[in-house]
Amino acid sequence: MTQWERLQQLDTVYSQRAFDLYNRDEFPMEVRHYLAHWIEGQDWERASRDSSQAAFLFQVLLENLDNQFSRFAQEKDSFLLQRNFRRYKQNFQVSNFLSDISAMLDAADILCSALIDEELVDWKRRQQKSCIGAPDDTSLEHLEKWFTQIIECMFQLQKFLQKLDELVGKMTYDNDPILVRKPPLKSRVDTLLTHLIKSSFVVETQPSMPQGRGPLVLRTNVQFSVKVRLLYKVSELNHVMKVTVSVNKFRKFNVLGTLSKALNMAESMNGGMVADFRHLVSPSSSCMFINLVLCFVQLSLSVTEELHRITFQTQFDYQGLSVPLETSSLPVVVVSNSSQQQSAWASVLWFNMLCSDPKNVKFFETSPAATWPQFGEMLSWQFLSCGKRGLDSDQLETLAIKLFGKQQSYDSCKISWTKFSKENLPDTNFTLWVWLDGILTLVKLYLSDLWSDGSIMGFVSKGKERLLLKKKQNGTFLLRFSESIKDGGITFSWVQYANDGTPSVQTVKPFTSTDLKQIALPDILCNFRIMVAENIPVNPLCYLYPNTPKDQAFGKYYKAQSTSSFCLDSSFLSFFPYPSAFGSLCTKRPCVCVVGCDCGVAVFQ
């Protein structure tokens, strides 16, 4: 006897409770009655743990309903049962591609959250850091693949729900699950699709000038380029969606050039949907200047602290879904002449180091301070960009000591925007950023190879320099950046020992861009001479710290020897290229000559 048969023999009170369980369409009593033997013969506990087993049993249930329907079709008095079993099967089926859709949407919610709120946010932060030199991967291929696949799945679900609409149009009945459950599912699909498509419109390449100081610094009347991308890659939309450009009107800036372009696959290396704006210009005008001046007076901000957003808009119309799209660049600084680019780049560095909200164009009204770990990392990226090598821990510690004094830990130390870009360093007439930027320019133009291969110690205090060199063999030298030259300077110091073994450290006057433009630093190191006893010119530089022979360290950089002039006073403080500094004139100044002469000019050929 089956459980169902025993159930029917219970007292009325108890049997009524059981029958109440089957009083709804989720699992009708007739199905339980006619399929009792099969139902009670299955391992439902296992099915509750194993989704594949549950799917298998569901398909067998549908087959049993078909079989029972066929038996009723052969019986004259079973017309109503025949009709009901057809409806039960349809209900089971519909309640199930609906339950599945609901489960798929639950999974899609989680996936979209991870994609939009985590992966996309992380990419935007990586792109922001890469704009200021971080070596982060900013490729969009993986994001494009994920967005495209998920959006395609959502459109497939949308089509399925539309098919259910067609089914309802042909036949429906009371308590039809399609009528009840489809609308909220459709709403979820549309919401997810809209959110995905809006998020898929991004700025792939931030605004930059061809010969600019860096991205996000623009100059009036100079062309700049910027590229946007739709991460939903679909050929049907190629050359269909028009993208327009505008600039926030907060400070009355405008943009000229081709302000509308179609998203297309021809301007992308991998066939992505991009619009590449290459010839945009921010014009200058007297009216704009007047508006700016009034705003600056009111806000006490310099022109290089004014931030602007370039906005891109388009309309997405596809498969019945219409969504307006908008995205914006990271804030840009617009200057009117090249002398402002250094300060503008400082603003770009500070904003992108500290702020991840591209809409915050009022950032510099209350600019936050940077912690030393943030600041040190940002500086390291600058040297990595200019010379293919960042700052090591010793170099960073030297800079931290310069800024904060000797500390056990610098993690909690902070530097303000004013101290970075506005206040002069002690005993100088220039700011920290001007000093650092001068060094970066020197590295980029003249010292990139030496910096890259680690030949330049760079940042080391004079006191530490002496401690390091006095422990080394005679002729050991190191290269460090000058702390007293505004536009960047590099010097070298070496240790030499007196007859009694006493060490002393000698230093030359720093070499600037003017010097290195005429003679490369490796050639200076190669040809450098001082006079020793018996008026013999000797190169005192033997080993690059800690113990690398000079020619081994720099030999690959030596050029063909050319006529040069060195003028060294008795404390080895001066260096001047010849003939630009002295010509053939006799200076009569006291000096130690590398080639004996009685005119006071030192000439080495």
Side-chain angles (χ1 to χ4, degrees):
M1 184 182 294
T2 64
Q3 292 180 2
W4 182 251
E5 290 171 333
R6 290 199 299 270
L7 182 64
Q8 296 176 59
Q9 297 176 3
L10 293 175
D11 292 340
T12 303
V13 175
Y14 298 107
S15 62
Q16 184 61 43
R17 292 181 184 176
F19 294 159
D20 287 342
L21 295 174
Y22 300 98
N23 198 30
R24 294 172 295 178
D25 280 344
E26 282 85 352
F27 198 79
M29 184 179 292
E30 291 96 329
V31 174
R32 181 68 178 90
H33 178 77
Y34 285 100
L35 301 184
H37 287 279
W38 178 81
I39 290 173
E40 294 177 22
Q42 311 309 312
D43 187 353
W44 297 106
E45 184 177 351
R46 176 189 170 192
S48 68
R49 301 189 307 268
D50 186 344
S51 59
S52 61
Q53 177 67 10
F56 170 74
L57 290 180
F58 179 74
Q59 293 301 320
V60 176
L61 172 63
L62 296 181
E63 291 176 9
N64 282 325
L65 290 174
D66 277 335
N67 294 335
Q68 189 63 45
F69 172 80
S70 298
R71 284 193 288 270
F72 289 145
Q74 297 173 5
E75 299 175 2
K76 294 181 179 180
D77 298 331
S78 301
F79 174 76
L80 291 179
L81 286 173
Q82 180 183 353
R83 175 185 176 279
N84 286 343
F85 265 68
R86 172 182 288 178
R87 184 164 60 89
Y88 296 154
K89 180 182 178 183
Q90 181 176 328
N91 281 355
F92 284 150
Q93 288 177 309
V94 172
S95 296
N96 184 62
F97 284 149
L98 295 180
S99 298
D100 285 349
I101 289 176
S102 182
M104 289 176 66
L105 289 176
D106 290 340
D109 271 327
I110 297 172
L111 188 58
C112 289
S113 179
L115 180 59
I116 296 171
D117 301 331
E118 297 177 24
E119 294 293 335
L120 185 60
V121 169
D122 185 59
W123 174 83
K124 288 182 177 179
R125 183 56 184 156
R126 291 201 310 272
Q127 186 197 47
Q128 191 175 9
K129 293 192 296 182
S130 73
C131 285
I132 56 173
D136 288 353
D137 179 14
T138 59
S139 63
L140 282 168
E141 280 66 32
H142 289 301
L143 281 174
E144 180 184 70
K145 180 179 179 181
W146 296 337
F147 268 99
T148 299
Q149 290 181 347
I150 296 174
I151 291 173
E152 283 294 330
C153 287
M154 292 297 103
F155 274 125
Q156 290 297 322
L157 288 179
Q158 190 182 64
K159 288 180 180 179
F160 178 79
L161 292 174
Q162 289 170 353
K163 290 293 184 182
L164 289 182
D165 277 339
E166 297 175 9
L167 180 62
V168 169
K170 294 178 180 179
M171 183 188 72
T172 188
Y173 47 87
D174 292 341
N175 299 321
D176 187 340
I178 298 178
L179 294 176
V180 177
R181 299 180 61 182
K182 188 192 77 68
L185 291 177
K186 183 180 185 304
S187 177
R188 289 184 65 187
V189 170
D190 290 346
T191 299
L192 273 173
L193 260 176
T194 299
H195 190 34
L196 281 163
I197 291 168
K198 283 188 173 183
S199 302
S200 69
F201 191 42
V202 299
V203 177
E204 179 177 8
T205 305
Q206 294 294 331
S208 63
M209 299 184 296
Q211 304 298 326
R213 180 65 178 81
L216 305 175
V217 175
L218 308 181
R219 184 178 171 185
T220 55
N221 297 323
V222 176
Q223 288 187 350
F224 66 92
S225 62
V226 59
K227 183 190 294 185
V228 294
R229 184 167 179 170
L230 184 69
L231 296 178
Y232 177 40
K233 185 177 177 181
V234 53
S235 58
E236 290 90 334
L237 294 177
N238 191 28
H239 289 284
V240 172
M241 298 172 62
K242 299 290 184 181
V243 181
T244 58
V245 185
S246 62
V247 180
N248 66 293
K249 304 302 182 183
F250 183 60
R251 290 294 179 265
K252 308 298 183 184
F253 269 117
N254 244 329
V255 171
L256 300 180
T258 304
L259 302 183
S260 178
K261 291 196 70 174
L263 287 169
N264 66 89
M265 297 179 174
E267 295 182 306
S268 174
M269 295 294 291
N270 70 337
M273 296 283 290
V274 304
D276 194 357
F277 295 87
R278 300 181 184 179
H279 306 293
L280 299 178
V281 177
S282 177
S284 61
S285 70
S286 57
C287 291
M288 181 184 72
F289 181 77
I290 292 172
N291 285 326
L292 287 172
V293 169
L294 292 175
C295 292
F296 297 154
V297 171
Q298 180 182 0
L299 299 176
S300 301
L301 296 178
S302 69
V303 66
T304 57
E305 292 172 316
E306 280 298 307
L307 303 178
H308 307 267
R309 296 169 61 218
I310 301 176
T311 301
F312 305 87
Q313 295 175 316
T314 187
Q315 182 70 28
F316 180 92
D317 290 302
Y318 184 63
Q319 295 197 16
L321 186 68
S322 182
V323 183
L325 305 184
E326 179 176 302
T327 189
S328 295
S329 70
L330 291 169
V332 300
V333 178
V334 182
V335 298
S336 57
N337 60 71
S338 58
S339 65
Q340 297 171 317
Q341 289 198 53
Q342 185 181 58
S343 295
W345 183 239
S347 297
V348 169
L349 293 176
W350 203 259
F351 178 91
N352 290 287
M353 172 177 57
L354 296 177
C355 184
S356 59
D357 179 10
K359 298 180 180 178
N360 187 8
V361 294
K362 297 183 180 181
F363 173 80
F364 284 103
E365 291 182 18
T366 55
S367 175
T371 64
W372 170 247
Q374 291 173 318
F375 187 75
E377 183 179 46
M378 180 272 288
L379 287 184
S380 185
W381 294 340
Q382 304 315 296
F383 282 88
L384 182 65
S385 298
C386 292
K388 304 174 186 176
R389 181 170 66 94
L391 299 174
D392 61 30
S393 57
D394 291 334
Q395 293 162 337
L396 287 169
E397 184 181 26
T398 299
L399 287 170
I401 294 172
K402 181 180 180 67
L403 293 175
F404 311 111
K406 187 67 176 176
Q407 305 279 340
Q408 201 163 23
S409 172
Y410 298 95
D411 288 351
S412 60
C413 293
K414 293 186 176 181
I415 179 171
S416 67
W417 167 242
T418 299
K419 189 171 183 180
F420 173 62
S421 68
K422 296 184 177 182
E423 294 178 354
N424 289 339
L425 290 168
D427 303 320
T428 71
N429 63 348
F430 49 84
T431 66
L432 173 64
W433 169 239
V434 167
W435 175 61
L436 290 169
D437 192 49
I439 292 172
L440 287 165
T441 301
L442 198 71
V443 169
K444 182 177 182 179
L445 296 178
Y446 305 107
L447 304 172
S448 59
D449 288 338
L450 299 184
W451 177 259
S452 177
D453 68 17
S455 297
I456 299 174
M457 187 172 291
F459 295 104
V460 56
S461 66
K462 293 180 181 178
K464 186 174 182 179
E465 173 189 67
R466 282 165 172 71
L467 287 175
L468 294 175
L469 290 175
K470 285 183 177 181
K471 297 177 182 178
K472 294 299 178 180
Q473 58 187 317
N474 188 67
T476 301
F477 68 99
L478 58 80
L479 304 172
R480 66 174 176 84
F481 299 125
S482 170
E483 297 183 6
S484 60
I485 302 295
K486 175 180 178 180
D487 296 323
I490 188 167
T491 184
F492 53 82
S493 302
W494 71 94
V495 62
Q496 62 182 37
Y497 290 83
N499 291 334
D500 62 359
T502 303
S504 63
V505 174
Q506 308 294 339
T507 303
V508 298
K509 185 178 179 180
F511 310 122
T512 65
S513 294
T514 302
D515 306 319
L516 299 180
K517 186 176 182 179
Q518 300 180 66
I519 305 177
L521 185 59
D523 292 328
I524 292 174
L525 299 172
C526 175
N527 298 329
F528 182 73
R529 299 290 187 274
I530 62 172
M531 296 298 297
V532 295
E534 292 85 30
N535 289 331
I536 300 174
V538 172
N539 190 326
L541 310 178
C542 302
Y543 306 97
L544 177 66
Y545 186 90
N547 54 14
T548 304
K550 179 188 65 180
D551 291 342
Q552 179 180 326
F554 302 102
K556 58 185 175 182
Y557 302 120
Y558 294 158
K559 295 182 180 178
Q561 202 172 68
S562 59
T563 301
S564 303
S565 293
F566 295 79
C567 182
L568 305 174
D569 64 21
S570 57
S571 60
F572 314 104
L573 290 178
S574 301
F575 166 85
F576 300 97
Y578 178 82
S580 63
F582 286 95
S584 58
L585 298 177
C586 173
T587 63
K588 298 296 183 182
R589 65 178 293 188
C591 66
V592 179
C593 302
V594 295
V595 175
C597 68
D598 58 3
C599 69
V601 177
V603 179
F604 173 68
Q605 306 235 352

